[in-house]
Amino acid sequence: MSVSRACVAIVGGGSVAVSFLYQLIDALPDGAPLSVALFEPAADVGPGTAYQADAASNLLNIPVSRMSAVCRDPDSFLAWLRQREPAFLAGMGVRRIDPGDFVPRPVFGLYLRDLYEAALARAAARGIPVTRHAERVVGVWPQAGGGAAVLGERGTHLRADRVVLCNGNLPSVAFPRLAALPGYFNSPYPVAGMTGKIGQDDAVCIIGTSLSAIDAIAALQASGHRGPIHCVSRNGRLPAVRSPHNKSLRLPMLPEPEADGRVTLDGLLDSLRRALREAGGIEEPNDILGVPGPAAQALDAEIARSQAGPRPWQAVAAATNDRIEHIWHALDDAQRNRFHRDWRTLWMARRATFPMRNALTLQTLLHEGRLHVHGGFRDVRFEAARNGFVIQAASGELRAPWVINATSFSLDVASTADALVRQLCEDGIARAHGLGGFDLDFDTGCLLDTHGRRVDAVSVLGSLAAGTYFWTTSMEVNARLAAGQARQLAERFGATAHSLDGARVPDVDAHRT
Protein backbone atom coordinates (compact mmCIF):
# COMPACT_ATOMS: atom_id res chain seq x y z
CA MET A 1 0.00 0.00 0.00
CA SER A 2 1.48 3.32 -1.07
CA VAL A 3 1.41 6.06 1.52
CA SER A 4 1.62 9.85 1.29
CA ARG A 5 0.50 13.08 2.87
CA ALA A 6 -2.99 13.79 4.06
CA CYS A 7 -4.40 17.16 2.94
CA VAL A 8 -6.28 19.83 4.87
CA ALA A 9 -8.00 22.47 2.72
CA ILE A 10 -8.78 25.82 4.33
CA VAL A 11 -11.50 27.84 2.60
CA GLY A 12 -10.95 31.54 3.31
CA GLY A 13 -7.96 33.63 4.28
CA GLY A 14 -9.20 36.05 6.92
CA SER A 15 -8.62 36.20 10.66
CA VAL A 16 -10.17 32.83 11.54
CA ALA A 17 -8.38 31.00 8.73
CA VAL A 18 -5.01 32.41 9.78
CA SER A 19 -5.69 31.58 13.42
CA PHE A 20 -6.51 28.00 12.45
CA LEU A 21 -3.52 27.61 10.10
CA TYR A 22 -1.03 28.96 12.64
CA GLN A 23 -2.37 26.75 15.41
CA LEU A 24 -2.52 23.69 13.16
CA ILE A 25 1.14 24.06 12.18
CA ASP A 26 2.00 24.72 15.83
CA ALA A 27 0.26 21.49 16.90
CA LEU A 28 1.98 19.27 14.30
CA PRO A 29 5.32 17.56 14.86
CA ASP A 30 8.26 18.10 12.51
CA GLY A 31 7.85 16.12 9.31
CA ALA A 32 4.16 15.45 9.89
CA PRO A 33 2.68 13.70 6.81
CA LEU A 34 0.27 16.54 6.09
CA SER A 35 -0.09 19.24 3.45
CA VAL A 36 -2.28 22.33 3.56
CA ALA A 37 -4.14 24.06 0.72
CA LEU A 38 -5.48 27.54 1.45
CA PHE A 39 -8.04 29.21 -0.83
CA GLU A 40 -8.33 33.01 -0.67
CA PRO A 41 -9.02 35.28 -3.68
CA ALA A 42 -7.89 38.54 -2.01
CA ALA A 43 -4.34 39.79 -2.57
CA ASP A 44 -3.42 39.52 1.12
CA VAL A 45 -4.07 36.60 3.43
CA GLY A 46 -4.84 37.68 6.99
CA PRO A 47 -6.85 40.91 7.15
CA GLY A 48 -10.01 39.66 5.47
CA THR A 49 -12.93 42.07 5.27
CA ALA A 50 -13.04 42.76 9.00
CA TYR A 51 -9.47 44.04 9.34
CA GLN A 52 -8.71 45.33 5.84
CA ALA A 53 -6.80 48.55 5.16
CA ASP A 54 -9.22 51.30 6.15
CA ALA A 55 -9.60 54.56 8.07
CA ALA A 56 -7.88 54.89 11.45
CA SER A 57 -11.24 55.86 12.99
CA ASN A 58 -12.29 52.23 12.54
CA LEU A 59 -11.38 51.02 16.03
CA LEU A 60 -11.41 47.55 17.52
CA ASN A 61 -14.19 47.19 20.08
CA ILE A 62 -12.09 44.77 22.14
CA PRO A 63 -8.93 45.85 24.00
CA VAL A 64 -5.51 44.70 22.81
CA SER A 65 -5.22 42.23 25.70
CA ARG A 66 -8.11 40.09 24.37
CA MET A 67 -7.32 40.17 20.65
CA SER A 68 -4.78 37.39 20.20
CA ALA A 69 -5.36 35.01 17.29
CA VAL A 70 -3.31 32.36 19.13
CA CYS A 71 -5.17 30.65 21.96
CA ARG A 72 -2.11 29.52 23.95
CA ASP A 73 -0.48 32.96 23.66
CA PRO A 74 -3.02 35.60 24.77
CA ASP A 75 -0.38 38.34 24.52
CA SER A 76 0.50 37.56 20.90
CA PHE A 77 -1.00 40.78 19.50
CA LEU A 78 0.32 42.91 22.36
CA ALA A 79 3.84 41.51 21.85
CA TRP A 80 3.59 42.20 18.09
CA LEU A 81 2.64 45.82 18.78
CA ARG A 82 5.57 46.27 21.15
CA GLN A 83 7.96 45.03 18.47
CA ARG A 84 6.88 47.69 15.97
CA GLU A 85 8.66 51.02 15.50
CA PRO A 86 6.89 53.97 17.20
CA ALA A 87 6.91 55.96 13.94
CA PHE A 88 5.18 53.08 12.12
CA LEU A 89 2.51 52.80 14.80
CA ALA A 90 1.98 56.57 14.86
CA GLY A 91 1.37 56.46 11.12
CA MET A 92 -1.31 53.85 11.75
CA GLY A 93 -3.01 56.00 14.42
CA VAL A 94 -1.48 54.27 17.49
CA ARG A 95 0.08 56.76 19.93
CA ARG A 96 0.69 54.40 22.85
CA ILE A 97 0.66 50.69 23.60
CA ASP A 98 -1.29 49.45 26.57
CA PRO A 99 -3.18 46.16 27.13
CA GLY A 100 -6.40 48.12 27.64
CA ASP A 101 -6.11 50.21 24.46
CA PHE A 102 -8.41 50.03 21.44
CA VAL A 103 -6.34 50.30 18.27
CA PRO A 104 -7.49 50.79 14.66
CA ARG A 105 -8.77 47.64 13.00
CA PRO A 106 -6.26 47.80 10.11
CA VAL A 107 -3.44 47.43 12.64
CA PHE A 108 -4.83 44.06 13.67
CA GLY A 109 -5.01 43.20 9.97
CA LEU A 110 -1.25 43.78 9.67
CA TYR A 111 -0.66 41.55 12.68
CA LEU A 112 -2.70 38.82 11.00
CA ARG A 113 -0.72 39.20 7.77
CA ASP A 114 2.51 38.77 9.73
CA LEU A 115 1.04 35.81 11.63
CA TYR A 116 0.29 34.16 8.29
CA GLU A 117 3.90 34.67 7.17
CA ALA A 118 5.08 33.24 10.50
CA ALA A 119 2.86 30.19 9.95
CA LEU A 120 4.36 29.67 6.48
CA ALA A 121 7.89 29.95 7.85
CA ARG A 122 7.15 27.50 10.65
CA ALA A 123 5.51 25.09 8.20
CA ALA A 124 8.54 25.22 5.89
CA ALA A 125 10.89 24.58 8.83
CA ARG A 126 8.81 21.53 9.82
CA GLY A 127 8.57 20.15 6.31
CA ILE A 128 4.83 20.76 5.95
CA PRO A 129 3.87 22.08 2.48
CA VAL A 130 1.35 24.95 2.37
CA THR A 131 -0.05 25.89 -1.06
CA ARG A 132 -1.95 29.11 -1.65
CA HIS A 133 -4.74 29.17 -4.24
CA ALA A 134 -5.83 32.72 -5.12
CA GLU A 135 -9.42 31.82 -5.92
CA ARG A 136 -12.79 31.20 -4.33
CA VAL A 137 -14.09 27.72 -3.65
CA VAL A 138 -17.39 27.11 -5.45
CA GLY A 139 -18.03 23.49 -4.47
CA VAL A 140 -17.17 20.86 -1.84
CA TRP A 141 -18.38 17.26 -2.17
CA PRO A 142 -17.70 14.58 0.48
CA GLN A 143 -16.49 11.33 -1.10
CA ALA A 144 -17.62 7.80 -0.35
CA GLY A 145 -14.06 6.69 0.42
CA GLY A 146 -13.46 9.54 2.85
CA GLY A 147 -12.39 13.16 2.46
CA ALA A 148 -13.92 15.62 0.03
CA ALA A 149 -13.42 16.96 -3.47
CA VAL A 150 -12.82 20.74 -3.58
CA LEU A 151 -13.40 22.88 -6.69
CA GLY A 152 -12.08 26.42 -7.13
CA GLU A 153 -13.63 29.00 -9.44
CA ARG A 154 -10.51 28.96 -11.67
CA GLY A 155 -10.64 25.21 -12.10
CA THR A 156 -8.36 24.03 -9.30
CA HIS A 157 -9.58 20.64 -8.13
CA LEU A 158 -8.15 18.68 -5.24
CA ARG A 159 -8.98 15.93 -2.81
CA ALA A 160 -8.77 16.88 0.88
CA ASP A 161 -9.07 14.68 3.94
CA ARG A 162 -10.66 17.62 5.78
CA VAL A 163 -12.08 20.87 4.47
CA VAL A 164 -12.24 23.66 7.06
CA LEU A 165 -14.68 26.41 6.09
CA CYS A 166 -13.47 29.82 7.30
CA ASN A 167 -15.29 31.72 4.58
CA GLY A 168 -16.24 34.76 6.62
CA ASN A 169 -19.43 36.77 6.93
CA LEU A 170 -22.30 36.55 4.47
CA PRO A 171 -23.50 39.90 3.12
CA SER A 172 -26.65 41.35 4.64
CA VAL A 173 -29.88 40.45 2.85
CA ALA A 174 -31.99 42.88 4.87
CA PHE A 175 -32.86 45.21 1.96
CA PRO A 176 -32.59 43.30 -1.33
CA ARG A 177 -34.74 45.86 -3.20
CA LEU A 178 -32.13 48.56 -2.56
CA ALA A 179 -29.03 46.56 -3.45
CA ALA A 180 -28.46 48.00 -6.95
CA LEU A 181 -29.50 51.58 -6.21
CA PRO A 182 -27.03 54.47 -6.24
CA GLY A 183 -26.66 55.98 -2.80
CA TYR A 184 -27.12 52.66 -0.98
CA PHE A 185 -24.32 50.89 0.91
CA ASN A 186 -25.10 47.31 1.93
CA SER A 187 -22.31 47.58 4.52
CA PRO A 188 -20.30 50.48 5.97
CA TYR A 189 -17.03 48.68 5.14
CA PRO A 190 -14.56 49.75 4.04
CA VAL A 191 -15.55 53.01 5.69
CA ALA A 192 -12.92 54.93 3.69
CA GLY A 193 -14.66 53.91 0.46
CA MET A 194 -18.03 54.93 1.87
CA THR A 195 -16.96 58.37 3.09
CA GLY A 196 -15.14 59.04 -0.17
CA LYS A 197 -18.45 59.01 -2.06
CA ILE A 198 -20.69 60.98 0.32
CA GLY A 199 -20.78 64.75 -0.03
CA GLN A 200 -19.64 66.61 3.08
CA ASP A 201 -22.96 68.45 3.47
CA ASP A 202 -25.22 65.56 2.43
CA ALA A 203 -27.76 64.02 4.78
CA VAL A 204 -27.03 60.38 5.63
CA CYS A 205 -29.28 57.74 7.14
CA ILE A 206 -27.69 54.77 8.89
CA ILE A 207 -29.99 51.82 9.50
CA GLY A 208 -28.89 50.17 12.73
CA THR A 209 -27.54 51.55 16.01
CA SER A 210 -25.00 48.87 16.94
CA LEU A 211 -21.23 48.69 16.54
CA SER A 212 -21.21 48.89 12.73
CA ALA A 213 -23.26 52.07 12.94
CA ILE A 214 -20.74 53.53 15.42
CA ASP A 215 -17.95 52.83 12.92
CA ALA A 216 -19.88 54.59 10.16
CA ILE A 217 -20.59 57.66 12.31
CA ALA A 218 -16.98 57.92 13.50
CA ALA A 219 -15.71 57.60 9.93
CA LEU A 220 -18.03 60.33 8.65
CA GLN A 221 -16.88 62.67 11.42
CA ALA A 222 -13.19 61.91 10.80
CA SER A 223 -13.62 62.56 7.06
CA GLY A 224 -14.94 66.10 7.64
CA HIS A 225 -18.60 65.36 6.96
CA ARG A 226 -20.82 68.28 8.07
CA GLY A 227 -24.33 67.18 7.10
CA PRO A 228 -27.00 65.65 9.33
CA ILE A 229 -26.69 61.98 10.27
CA HIS A 230 -29.81 60.00 11.15
CA CYS A 231 -29.26 56.68 12.90
CA VAL A 232 -32.38 54.49 12.94
CA SER A 233 -33.22 51.12 14.49
CA ARG A 234 -36.20 49.38 16.00
CA ASN A 235 -35.16 50.13 19.59
CA GLY A 236 -33.13 53.31 19.07
CA ARG A 237 -30.49 52.13 21.59
CA LEU A 238 -26.79 52.83 21.25
CA PRO A 239 -24.38 50.20 22.64
CA ALA A 240 -22.92 50.44 26.13
CA VAL A 241 -19.65 52.33 26.56
CA ARG A 242 -16.81 50.21 27.88
CA SER A 243 -15.17 51.57 31.02
CA PRO A 244 -11.39 51.97 30.58
CA HIS A 245 -11.04 51.10 34.30
CA ASN A 246 -12.40 47.53 33.99
CA LYS A 247 -10.19 44.66 35.12
CA SER A 248 -10.30 41.15 33.71
CA LEU A 249 -11.78 38.42 35.89
CA ARG A 250 -12.75 34.79 35.61
CA LEU A 251 -16.13 33.33 36.40
CA PRO A 252 -15.91 30.84 39.28
CA MET A 253 -18.10 28.14 37.73
CA LEU A 254 -20.79 27.26 35.24
CA PRO A 255 -24.40 27.61 36.40
CA GLU A 256 -25.63 24.72 38.52
CA PRO A 257 -27.31 22.20 36.17
CA GLU A 258 -30.87 21.04 36.60
CA ALA A 259 -31.71 17.43 37.46
CA ASP A 260 -31.51 16.45 33.77
CA GLY A 261 -28.03 17.95 33.44
CA ARG A 262 -29.13 20.98 31.43
CA VAL A 263 -28.72 24.66 32.29
CA THR A 264 -31.53 27.20 32.30
CA LEU A 265 -31.42 30.91 31.57
CA ASP A 266 -32.70 31.60 35.07
CA GLY A 267 -29.88 29.51 36.54
CA LEU A 268 -27.37 31.33 34.35
CA LEU A 269 -28.71 34.69 35.47
CA ASP A 270 -28.38 33.65 39.13
CA SER A 271 -24.75 32.65 38.49
CA LEU A 272 -23.98 35.98 36.86
CA ARG A 273 -25.59 37.83 39.75
CA ARG A 274 -23.43 35.87 42.17
CA ALA A 275 -20.31 36.63 40.11
CA LEU A 276 -21.24 40.32 40.07
CA ARG A 277 -21.46 40.41 43.86
CA GLU A 278 -18.14 38.59 44.19
CA ALA A 279 -16.57 41.16 41.85
CA GLY A 280 -17.71 43.96 44.18
CA GLY A 281 -20.59 45.15 42.01
CA ILE A 282 -24.25 45.72 42.70
CA GLU A 283 -27.28 44.97 40.56
CA GLU A 284 -28.22 48.46 39.45
CA PRO A 285 -30.70 48.30 36.52
CA ASN A 286 -29.86 51.70 35.04
CA ASP A 287 -26.19 50.75 34.94
CA ILE A 288 -26.65 47.24 33.58
CA LEU A 289 -29.65 47.79 31.31
CA GLY A 290 -28.99 51.42 30.39
CA VAL A 291 -30.76 54.67 31.15
CA PRO A 292 -34.12 54.93 29.37
CA GLY A 293 -34.90 58.02 27.34
CA PRO A 294 -33.34 59.99 24.47
CA ALA A 295 -30.04 58.75 23.04
CA ALA A 296 -28.11 61.87 24.04
CA GLN A 297 -29.20 61.52 27.67
CA ALA A 298 -28.47 57.78 27.72
CA LEU A 299 -25.02 58.29 26.18
CA ASP A 300 -24.16 61.06 28.65
CA ALA A 301 -24.97 58.65 31.49
CA GLU A 302 -22.92 55.87 29.87
CA ILE A 303 -19.87 58.09 29.46
CA ALA A 304 -20.12 59.47 33.00
CA ARG A 305 -20.33 55.97 34.52
CA SER A 306 -17.45 54.65 32.43
CA GLN A 307 -15.22 57.64 33.18
CA ALA A 308 -15.94 57.43 36.92
CA GLY A 309 -14.51 53.94 37.49
CA PRO A 310 -14.87 50.22 36.79
CA ARG A 311 -18.22 48.75 35.83
CA PRO A 312 -18.14 45.25 37.32
CA TRP A 313 -21.09 44.00 35.30
CA GLN A 314 -19.10 44.64 32.12
CA ALA A 315 -16.18 42.60 33.46
CA VAL A 316 -18.55 39.76 34.38
CA ALA A 317 -20.18 39.82 30.93
CA ALA A 318 -16.76 39.83 29.24
CA ALA A 319 -15.66 36.89 31.39
CA THR A 320 -18.39 34.72 29.85
CA ASN A 321 -16.13 34.58 26.77
CA ASP A 322 -13.95 32.05 28.60
CA ARG A 323 -16.67 29.38 28.29
CA ILE A 324 -19.45 30.94 26.23
CA GLU A 325 -19.76 28.06 23.75
CA HIS A 326 -20.12 25.53 26.60
CA ILE A 327 -22.73 27.66 28.37
CA TRP A 328 -24.65 27.95 25.10
CA HIS A 329 -24.42 24.22 24.47
CA ALA A 330 -25.68 23.43 27.99
CA LEU A 331 -28.93 25.29 27.26
CA ASP A 332 -31.59 23.21 25.55
CA ASP A 333 -33.38 24.33 22.38
CA ALA A 334 -36.26 25.90 24.30
CA GLN A 335 -33.87 27.97 26.44
CA ARG A 336 -31.80 29.08 23.43
CA ASN A 337 -34.95 30.07 21.56
CA ARG A 338 -36.15 31.97 24.61
CA PHE A 339 -32.86 33.85 24.74
CA HIS A 340 -33.11 34.85 21.09
CA ARG A 341 -36.72 35.93 21.51
CA ASP A 342 -36.47 37.83 24.79
CA TRP A 343 -32.84 38.68 25.48
CA ARG A 344 -30.66 38.75 22.38
CA THR A 345 -31.33 42.36 21.38
CA LEU A 346 -30.58 43.60 24.89
CA TRP A 347 -27.49 41.37 25.16
CA MET A 348 -26.09 42.71 21.90
CA ALA A 349 -26.71 46.33 22.94
CA ARG A 350 -25.12 45.94 26.38
CA ARG A 351 -22.52 43.15 26.01
CA ALA A 352 -21.03 44.46 22.73
CA THR A 353 -19.51 47.64 24.18
CA PHE A 354 -17.63 50.35 22.31
CA PRO A 355 -14.56 52.41 23.30
CA MET A 356 -14.58 55.80 24.99
CA ARG A 357 -12.90 57.57 22.07
CA ASN A 358 -15.81 56.88 19.74
CA ALA A 359 -18.33 57.51 22.53
CA LEU A 360 -16.99 61.06 22.95
CA THR A 361 -17.25 61.61 19.20
CA LEU A 362 -20.92 60.60 19.23
CA GLN A 363 -21.58 62.71 22.31
CA THR A 364 -20.28 65.82 20.55
CA LEU A 365 -22.34 65.13 17.43
CA LEU A 366 -25.51 64.55 19.47
CA HIS A 367 -25.11 67.75 21.47
CA GLU A 368 -24.33 69.78 18.35
CA GLY A 369 -27.52 68.48 16.74
CA ARG A 370 -25.71 66.85 13.82
CA LEU A 371 -26.49 63.29 14.92
CA HIS A 372 -30.06 62.11 15.52
CA VAL A 373 -30.92 58.65 16.85
CA HIS A 374 -34.42 57.34 16.14
CA GLY A 375 -36.32 54.27 17.32
CA GLY A 376 -39.30 52.58 15.73
CA PHE A 377 -37.73 51.83 12.35
CA ARG A 378 -40.35 50.46 9.97
CA ASP A 379 -39.21 50.62 6.37
CA VAL A 380 -36.99 52.29 3.79
CA ARG A 381 -37.79 52.94 0.14
CA PHE A 382 -36.34 54.86 -2.78
CA GLU A 383 -38.32 57.69 -4.44
CA ALA A 384 -37.02 58.28 -7.94
CA ALA A 385 -38.87 61.59 -8.28
CA ARG A 386 -36.85 63.02 -5.40
CA ASN A 387 -33.71 61.00 -6.16
CA GLY A 388 -33.43 59.89 -2.57
CA PHE A 389 -34.54 57.53 0.17
CA VAL A 390 -37.50 57.78 2.52
CA ILE A 391 -37.06 56.13 5.92
CA GLN A 392 -40.03 55.52 8.19
CA ALA A 393 -39.41 55.70 11.94
CA ALA A 394 -41.46 56.44 15.04
CA SER A 395 -40.52 60.12 14.76
CA GLY A 396 -41.92 60.32 11.23
CA GLU A 397 -40.45 60.21 7.72
CA LEU A 398 -36.76 60.95 7.20
CA ARG A 399 -35.20 61.75 3.83
CA ALA A 400 -31.61 61.31 2.70
CA PRO A 401 -29.71 60.73 -0.56
CA TRP A 402 -27.53 58.13 1.16
CA VAL A 403 -28.48 55.03 3.15
CA ILE A 404 -25.95 52.84 4.96
CA ASN A 405 -27.05 49.37 6.04
CA ALA A 406 -25.41 48.79 9.43
CA THR A 407 -27.69 45.95 10.53
CA SER A 408 -24.73 43.53 10.47
CA PHE A 409 -23.96 40.56 8.25
CA SER A 410 -26.31 37.69 7.49
CA LEU A 411 -26.35 34.31 9.21
CA ASP A 412 -29.05 32.92 6.92
CA VAL A 413 -27.35 30.17 4.92
CA ALA A 414 -30.63 29.24 3.27
CA SER A 415 -31.13 32.58 1.47
CA THR A 416 -27.60 33.65 0.59
CA ALA A 417 -26.29 34.02 -2.96
CA ASP A 418 -22.88 32.65 -1.91
CA ALA A 419 -22.11 29.86 -4.38
CA LEU A 420 -20.40 27.47 -1.96
CA VAL A 421 -22.94 27.88 0.84
CA ARG A 422 -25.82 27.35 -1.59
CA GLN A 423 -24.18 24.26 -3.07
CA LEU A 424 -23.67 22.67 0.34
CA CYS A 425 -27.28 23.30 1.35
CA GLU A 426 -28.88 22.37 -1.98
CA ASP A 427 -26.91 19.12 -2.19
CA GLY A 428 -28.00 18.16 1.34
CA ILE A 429 -24.41 18.20 2.64
CA ALA A 430 -25.31 20.94 5.13
CA ARG A 431 -28.41 22.27 6.79
CA ALA A 432 -29.27 25.57 8.43
CA HIS A 433 -29.19 25.96 12.19
CA GLY A 434 -32.41 27.49 13.49
CA LEU A 435 -30.49 30.27 15.23
CA GLY A 436 -28.09 31.10 12.41
CA GLY A 437 -25.33 29.62 10.28
CA PHE A 438 -24.80 25.93 9.64
CA ASP A 439 -25.97 23.18 11.98
CA LEU A 440 -22.82 21.58 13.40
CA ASP A 441 -21.68 18.75 15.61
CA PHE A 442 -20.61 20.52 18.80
CA ASP A 443 -17.60 18.33 19.61
CA THR A 444 -15.92 18.51 16.19
CA GLY A 445 -17.39 21.54 14.41
CA CYS A 446 -18.30 19.28 11.47
CA LEU A 447 -21.38 19.86 9.33
CA LEU A 448 -24.61 17.99 9.98
CA ASP A 449 -26.33 17.01 6.75
CA THR A 450 -30.03 17.25 6.01
CA HIS A 451 -30.61 13.97 7.91
CA GLY A 452 -28.63 15.11 10.96
CA ARG A 453 -25.64 12.89 10.18
CA ARG A 454 -22.14 14.23 10.85
CA VAL A 455 -20.07 15.03 7.75
CA ASP A 456 -16.56 14.23 8.96
CA ALA A 457 -14.91 15.70 5.87
CA VAL A 458 -16.12 19.29 6.42
CA SER A 459 -15.90 21.51 9.51
CA VAL A 460 -16.73 25.17 10.07
CA LEU A 461 -15.17 28.07 11.98
CA GLY A 462 -16.25 31.70 12.28
CA SER A 463 -19.58 33.46 11.96
CA LEU A 464 -21.34 30.56 10.21
CA ALA A 465 -20.84 28.49 13.37
CA ALA A 466 -22.91 30.98 15.44
CA GLY A 467 -25.96 28.78 15.97
CA THR A 468 -23.81 26.07 17.54
CA TYR A 469 -21.24 28.17 19.45
CA PHE A 470 -23.06 31.52 19.79
CA TRP A 471 -20.38 34.22 20.26
CA THR A 472 -18.43 33.65 17.05
CA THR A 473 -17.94 37.37 16.39
CA SER A 474 -15.20 37.28 19.06
CA MET A 475 -11.58 36.73 17.97
CA GLU A 476 -10.89 35.25 21.39
CA VAL A 477 -13.63 32.64 21.04
CA ASN A 478 -12.80 31.89 17.39
CA ALA A 479 -9.13 31.38 18.26
CA ARG A 480 -10.11 28.89 20.96
CA LEU A 481 -12.43 26.98 18.61
CA ALA A 482 -9.75 27.02 15.90
CA ALA A 483 -7.21 25.65 18.39
CA GLY A 484 -9.61 22.83 19.27
CA GLN A 485 -10.03 21.77 15.63
CA ALA A 486 -6.29 22.13 15.04
CA ARG A 487 -5.52 19.79 17.94
CA GLN A 488 -8.02 17.21 16.74
CA LEU A 489 -6.56 17.21 13.23
CA ALA A 490 -2.98 17.11 14.52
CA GLU A 491 -3.86 14.03 16.55
CA ARG A 492 -5.53 12.45 13.54
CA PHE A 493 -2.95 13.23 10.85
CA GLY A 494 0.22 14.27 12.63
CA ALA A 495 1.73 11.03 13.85
CA THR A 496 1.22 8.49 11.06
CA ALA A 497 0.97 8.55 7.29
CA HIS A 498 -2.50 8.43 5.79
CA SER A 499 -3.93 6.58 2.79
CA LEU A 500 -7.29 6.47 1.03
CA ASP A 501 -8.60 3.08 -0.16
CA GLY A 502 -5.07 1.81 -0.67
CA ALA A 503 -4.35 4.39 -3.37
CA ARG A 504 -1.65 6.99 -3.26
CA VAL A 505 -2.93 10.47 -2.41
CA PRO A 506 -0.86 12.97 -4.45
CA ASP A 507 0.47 16.22 -3.01
CA VAL A 508 -1.76 19.28 -3.38
CA ASP A 509 -0.20 20.66 -6.55
CA ALA A 510 -0.78 17.39 -8.38
CA HIS A 511 -4.55 17.87 -8.03
CA ARG A 512 -4.65 20.88 -10.34
CA THR A 513 -6.71 20.44 -13.50
Side-chain angles (χ1 to χ4, degrees), residues 166-186:
C166 307
N167 42 343
N169 302 332
L170 299 177
S172 171
V173 292
F175 308 107
R177 293 179 292 114
L178 307 181
L181 296 177
Y184 174 75
F185 297 92
N186 198 46

Side-chain angles (χ1 to χ4, degrees), residues 187-474:
S187 165
Y189 307 108
V191 295
M194 173 196 72
T195 58
K197 296 178 181 178
I198 295 174
Q200 290 192 331
D201 295 310
D202 290 350
V204 178
C205 183
I206 301 170
I207 302 176
T209 53
S210 59
L211 298 179
S212 297
I214 304 299
D215 287 345
I217 296 166
L220 286 166
Q221 168 67 359
S223 71
H225 180 264
R226 298 181 295 263
I229 302 171
H230 296 279
C231 206
V232 187
S233 69
R234 288 186 176 87
N235 58 34
R237 295 175 65 105
L238 294 172
V241 178
R242 185 185 180 98
S243 170
H245 308 290
N246 289 344
K247 302 297 182 183
S248 295
L249 57 84
R250 291 194 175 274
L251 295 180
M253 65 185 70
L254 281 168
E256 289 293 332
E258 300 295 304
D260 60 0
R262 306 299 290 183
V263 167
T264 66
L265 287 174
D266 293 333
L268 175 59
L269 185 58
D270 286 342
S271 294
L272 294 177
R273 283 170 167 154
R274 183 167 62 252
L276 178 61
R277 291 192 298 270
E278 292 174 357
I282 60 172
E283 193 173 342
E284 184 182 349
N286 280 350
D287 184 22
I288 299 173
L289 304 180
V291 174
Q297 175 185 324
L299 184 59
D300 286 348
E302 280 290 315
I303 290 173
R305 288 179 184 273
S306 292
Q307 287 177 331
R311 302 178 76 179
W313 73 264
Q314 291 185 348
V316 169
T320 61
N321 268 22
D322 292 341
R323 60 190 72 177
I324 191 74
E325 68 272 25
H326 296 286
I327 296 173
W328 186 245
H329 184 60
L331 298 169
D332 63 21
D333 287 342
Q335 293 292 304
R336 288 192 286 264
N337 287 327
R338 177 187 166 200
F339 175 85
H340 265 257
R341 183 186 68 244
D342 300 336
W343 291 92
R344 188 178 186 279
T345 298
L346 180 61
W347 171 269
M348 295 301 295
R350 303 304 293 171
R351 167 66 184 89
T353 58
F354 72 113
M356 182 64 70
R357 192 189 322 176
N358 281 347
L360 294 173
T361 295
L362 265 67
Q363 184 182 48
T364 298
L365 293 173
L366 283 164
H367 284 284
E368 289 179 352
R370 292 167 52 204
L371 173 63
H372 311 270
V373 178
H374 309 265
F377 170 74
R378 297 188 183 92
D379 192 23
V380 54
R381 67 180 187 275
F382 184 78
E383 287 194 353
R386 301 192 181 188
N387 195 31
F389 297 89
V390 177
I391 301 92
Q392 293 181 325
S395 56
E397 287 192 344
L398 308 169
R399 297 182 182 274
W402 303 96
V403 164
I404 302 166
N405 176 7
T407 60
S408 190
F409 51 85
S410 173
L411 293 175
D412 187 357
V413 299
S415 66
T416 183
D418 183 275
L420 175 59
V421 174
R422 288 186 67 87
Q423 176 262 315
L424 290 168
C425 291
E426 290 173 358
D427 288 355
I429 300 164
R431 67 182 185 185
H433 192 289
L435 300 177
F438 290 120
D439 200 4
L440 307 176
D441 172 63
F442 179 82
D443 292 329
T444 63
C446 289
L447 291 173
L448 297 178
D449 69 12
T450 50
H451 302 289
R453 298 172 301 204
R454 190 174 73 196
V455 181
D456 288 325
V458 187
S459 61
V460 181
L461 289 166
S463 63
L464 295 186
T468 302
Y469 300 118
F470 182 59
W471 201 238
T472 54
T473 55
S474 164

